Amino acid sequence: MHNFSVLLKGEMQRLLRYKILQISFVVTLLWLGVLFLIGSEHVGDFVPLFIFMDVSMMTVLLVGANLFFEKQENTLKTLLITPSDFFALIASKFVASLYLGLQSTVFIALFALFMFDVSIAFVWLMMFVLLITFAHTALGFTFTVYVKDFNGLLAFIIFYMFIFAFPSIFYALGILPSSAEVWLMFSPTHASLLMIDFAFGVSVSWWLLVIGSVYLVLLSLFLIRFVVSPKYVETAVRE
Amino acid sequence: MKNKVFEVKDLRFRYAKSNVEAVCGISFDVYEGEIFGLLGPSGAGKSTTQKIMTKLFRDYQGEILYYGKDLKTYSNAYYEDLGVGFELPVHFSKLTGLENMKFFSQLYKQRANIETLLDQVGLLEDKDRMVGEYSKGMKMRLNFVRALLNNPKILFLDEVTNGLDPKNARIIKDLIRAFKADGGTVFLTTHLMNDVEELCDRVAFIREGEIVEIATPRALKIKHGNREVRVEYFSNGKTEEAVYDLDGIGENEAFLKLIKDKEIETIHSGETSLDDIFIKVTKAKSDA
Ligand SMILES: Nc1ncnc2c1ncn2[C@@H]1O[C@H](COP(=O)(O)OP(=O)(O)OP(=O)(O)O)[C@@H](O)[C@H]1O
Ligand SMILES: [Mg+2]
């Protein structure tokens, strides 16, 4: 992990300078505004959904935007010719992304708690949010190394959300039998949503949570090892 | 004999989506303390070769030795020795010049004085401006500073004077010479023959991924020139010209008589310019 702390400091400095932190914060404020309008009666249903949107879709989007910015400026390539460990390069970007996810979650959760007295299992929420952001950072990297430009990334994200939304919708509508839920855990979006729901007091069987967590970790590690690592250099060097 | 910094043997490389080799079996050595130039037309494989030698591309065929040991056996600590100047600007546009340099500098064990370097390339006054506001020439000068941040032993420079006005190009070239004078080794790629003439101790010409010539600039000029002497002299109220064989010129009576009797205006031996050599040796195989 040679140079990790220098790299992380750089990432955090750039989150500010490239206004990514600010954009993420404005999006959070938007969620808060919408929650405020929804009012106390239904807010409990929407808080988990908004947190989910922030740590899944926003994470992929911000990771992708960050990588495209850096690719454009050729800085991904420059960092590759420094003595930094390859793993430290990736890890610094992951940690910056985790920070953004946690920050949004904390704001939304505190708002829900103090404005509407929504009950929250904070420790579970933070743990699961870290896991979900981690997985979606890995997905963001994966999508980005496969697409040519930012529009390509947007298309990929929409496609991804669309594909994985279907099974969850069918399940909710009762089209899929309840025994199918274990298979739904293999949809990163379904697993993520279930975990966040759990932190907000929805009863979820523990083994679904275990399957979901293990799956998200394995999926992330698989993507980092077999997709991101081999393709990252190519992405960075391609002009 | 000087130490070999790099020994490149039968190097081959093909881009993933391409069905022809971008580099097809090149071999050359780079000696310690020299300025080695890799020259060739656009698309010849110069940047590709540099990217392989800087370990950005690792799945090449053939062998590269760095100080006698396979490059593949070196860890990323290899980069402590290297300064790399890319052909395009490589900076965070929303950080200042100084912030950029400070960030990169912290990644190395050896750290040169940033302000001194910025001053040398004339960027000290602009150090607190965002790099996004720099002109192209300023960015290229910052690239050069970036390459020197870690007091490297070896400088890789890709088209380093690209986009610089003559004054700034001169500053950079002087710094490259100073780097060499301090014992540094330089591997540079360019298609500007002017740079070559002023800087390079040895050059290799690359064409379509193959090396076609490798020698000192002087040897190349002699090899590709005509071995002749061209004399312009003033006679009967006008300028006349005569051409003699360079071989045996000291015993050539006609020549000796001419320079003794006539009012000589110019004498030139027939070595060609590097520009002409460049065009001649890198002419595509298809039009040869
Ligand atoms: N990412 C890539 N994918 C496929 N082919 C590539 C890629 N980059 C370069 N090439 C090809 O490899 C060959 C060598 O390119 P390279 O960039 O090394 O040339 P160069 O000598 O540096 O040219 P220039 O003087 O224009 O910089 C060219 O034919 C080019 O089209
Ligand atoms: Mg090039």
Side-chain angles (χ1 to χ4, degrees), chain B residues 258-270:
Chain B
L258 183 84
I259 56 172
K260 193 161 165 231
D261 296 345
K262 299 291 183 188
E263 183 186 336
I264 304 297
E265 290 187 328
T266 67
I267 298 183
H268 286 291
S269 57

Side-chain angles (χ1 to χ4, degrees), chain B residues 37 39 193 196 201-205 212-226 270-274 276-278 280-281:
Chain B
L39 326 178
M193 290 308 111
V196 176
D201 297 307
R202 282 190 317 130
V203 295
F205 280 96
V212 286
E213 277 284 7
I214 183 161
T216 65
R218 187 183 143 75
L220 282 173
K221 280 185 178 179
I222 293 170
K223 175 178 168 192
H224 290 276
N226 300 320
E271 76 263 26
T272 44
S273 71
L274 278 172
D276 291 335
I277 298 172
F278 181 97
K280 187 169 152 197
V281 303

Side-chain angles (χ1 to χ4, degrees), chain A residues 3 6-7 10 13-14 17-18 70 73-75 77-84 233-234 237 239, chain B residues 51 56-57 76 79-80 84 86 88-95 99 103-104 106-108 130 146:
Chain A
N3 281 342
V6 178
L7 291 166
Q13 179 187 37
R14 295 196 300 276
R17 288 301 186 77
Y18 285 78
E70 282 212 35
E73 303 193 328
N74 284 311
T75 45
K77 187 165 73 178
T78 329
L79 284 171
L80 288 175
I81 53 97
T82 66
S84 318
V233 174
E234 195 192 313
V237 175
E239 264 137 25
Chain B
K51 282 172 187 159
L56 281 174
F57 297 151
N76 276 7
Y79 294 117
E80 298 280 2
V84 182
F86 286 106
L88 296 168
V90 282
H91 302 101
F92 299 105
S93 60
K94 299 195 179 178
L95 302 186
E99 284 168 340
F103 171 67
F104 287 116
Q106 285 167 19
L107 299 170
Y108 294 95
M130 295 295 158
R146 153 80 192 81

Side-chain angles (χ1 to χ4, degrees), chain B residues 73-207:
Chain B
T73 64
Y74 284 87
S75 71
N76 276 7
Y78 172 58
Y79 294 117
E80 298 280 2
D81 289 357
L82 252 52
V84 182
F86 286 106
E87 99 196 274
L88 296 168
V90 282
H91 302 101
F92 299 105
S93 60
K94 299 195 179 178
L95 302 186
T96 67
L98 185 62
E99 284 168 340
N100 265 286
M101 293 307 104
K102 276 190 173 155
F103 171 67
F104 287 116
S105 161
Q106 285 167 19
L107 299 170
Y108 294 95
K109 289 203 186 86
Q110 294 265 342
R111 293 174 196 172
N113 187 312
I114 297 172
E115 306 226 341
T116 310
L117 287 174
L118 287 173
D119 194 23
Q120 281 173 334
V121 301
L123 284 177
L124 192 58
E125 277 181 19
D126 301 293
K127 70 179 162 61
D128 294 322
R129 281 173 67 193
M130 295 295 158
V131 171
E133 298 169 11
Y134 280 21
S135 70
K136 171 140 192 259
M138 291 164 80
K139 287 179 187 161
M140 289 310 286
R141 280 181 277 155
L142 195 63
N143 259 12
F144 190 72
V145 171
R146 153 80 192 81
L148 289 176
L149 282 177
N150 54 326
N151 288 326
K153 285 197 236 166
I154 295 133
L155 260 186
F156 279 91
L157 302 171
D158 201 354
E159 315 274 355
V160 71
T161 54
N162 212 349
L164 294 183
D165 61 49
K167 180 171 152 263
N168 282 310
R170 159 97 309 113
I171 292 173
I172 298 292
K173 282 186 260 191
D174 286 344
L175 286 171
I176 295 173
R177 268 194 294 263
F179 177 81
K180 177 191 151 165
D182 282 346
T185 305
V186 184
F187 181 91
L188 68 84
T189 71
T190 184
H191 38 224
L192 299 176
M193 290 308 111
N194 213 356
D195 292 0
V196 176
E197 197 108 36
E198 291 179 45
L199 294 172
C200 292
D201 297 307
R202 282 190 317 130
V203 295
F205 280 96
I206 184 168
R207 176 189 74 188

Side-chain angles (χ1 to χ4, degrees), chain A residues 35-60:
Chain A
L35 285 178
F36 187 76
L37 294 178
I38 288 170
S40 56
E41 202 179 325
H42 296 292
V43 82
D45 300 333
F46 283 92
V47 171
L49 184 67
F50 287 178
I51 290 181
F52 165 73
M53 297 278 268
D54 207 290
V55 297
S56 61
M57 224 167 62
M58 278 305 286
T59 297
V60 176

Side-chain angles (χ1 to χ4, degrees), chain B residues 239-256:
Chain B
T239 300
E240 306 252 7
E241 190 184 76
V243 179
Y244 302 94
D245 223 352
L246 191 61
D247 296 307
I249 191 82
E251 276 104 56
N252 189 321
E253 292 300 335
F255 171 76
L256 293 174

